[in-house]
Amino acid sequence: EGFTAEPGGPNPQQQEAARFENEIRSPVEASEIALRVAMARKPQTGAVHFDIHVDPAGVLIQPDGDRYRAELDVLAALYSETSLTTSPATRVNLTLTKAQLEQAASAGISVPLDVPVTDQVQKLRVIVLDPKLQALGSVTIPTK
């Protein structure tokens, strides 16, 4: 006889953008995904290299034949006294063998990220999002 149309929910891209934006502005770290981050300056390029190790226990890893697949979105927020800028969110599609997955259980899933950084940046926040779980992890590192 009839139906009632419910408004659709936010699309996944809007949800991800909102999750990133909330975490960028949050005073505390997100802890749904455990992260370890090492940072090294690349003087010749003015960039900072991040070696991000993601705890596989906090992300969705799906079997695919004899491999395992996961997706992660990675973003860096750069904070100075007067401004806030972000790198573009980068989608990392991972394909791991059983041996790589076992190694990741102890060492973490390695995700590299290079971000251009000026001398005005006082701290950086690395944010990792699992788009399927909508889980976040972040680490803030002072640069001065």
Side-chain angles (χ1 to χ4, degrees), residues 81-98:
E81 275 188 35
T82 58
S83 68
L84 163 65
T85 58
T86 61
S87 68
T90 303
R91 171 72 46 98
V92 179
N93 292 303
L94 301 165
T95 301
L96 306 169
T97 64
K98 184 174 173 87

Side-chain angles (χ1 to χ4, degrees), residues 25-103:
R25 305 224 181 263
S26 175
V28 296
E29 306 290 356
S31 60
E32 297 163 327
I33 300 173
L35 304 176
R36 285 182 297 120
V37 179
M39 180 180 91
R41 287 199 178 264
K42 296 174 114 181
Q44 66 276 17
T45 64
V48 171
H49 173 76
F50 295 101
D51 194 12
I52 306 163
H53 293 273
V54 178
D55 183 351
V59 300
L60 180 62
I61 299 174
Q62 297 178 304
D64 183 16
D66 63 343
R67 306 269 180 191
Y68 298 87
R69 300 198 189 281
E71 290 180 344
L72 298 173
D73 291 337
V74 182
L75 177 138
L78 296 82
Y79 304 87
S80 70
E81 275 188 35
T82 58
S83 68
L84 163 65
T85 58
T86 61
S87 68
T90 303
R91 171 72 46 98
V92 179
N93 292 303
L94 301 165
T95 301
L96 306 169
T97 64
K98 184 174 173 87
Q100 289 171 321
L101 183 60
E102 289 170 358
Q103 181 183 8

Side-chain angles (χ1 to χ4, degrees), residues 6-34:
E6 296 288 325
N11 72 37
Q13 289 82 15
Q14 289 173 327
Q15 266 185 319
E16 290 176 27
R19 293 291 313 250
F20 274 130
E21 187 63 29
N22 288 340
E23 183 54 28
I24 289 166
R25 305 224 181 263
S26 175
V28 296
E29 306 290 356
S31 60
E32 297 163 327
I33 300 173

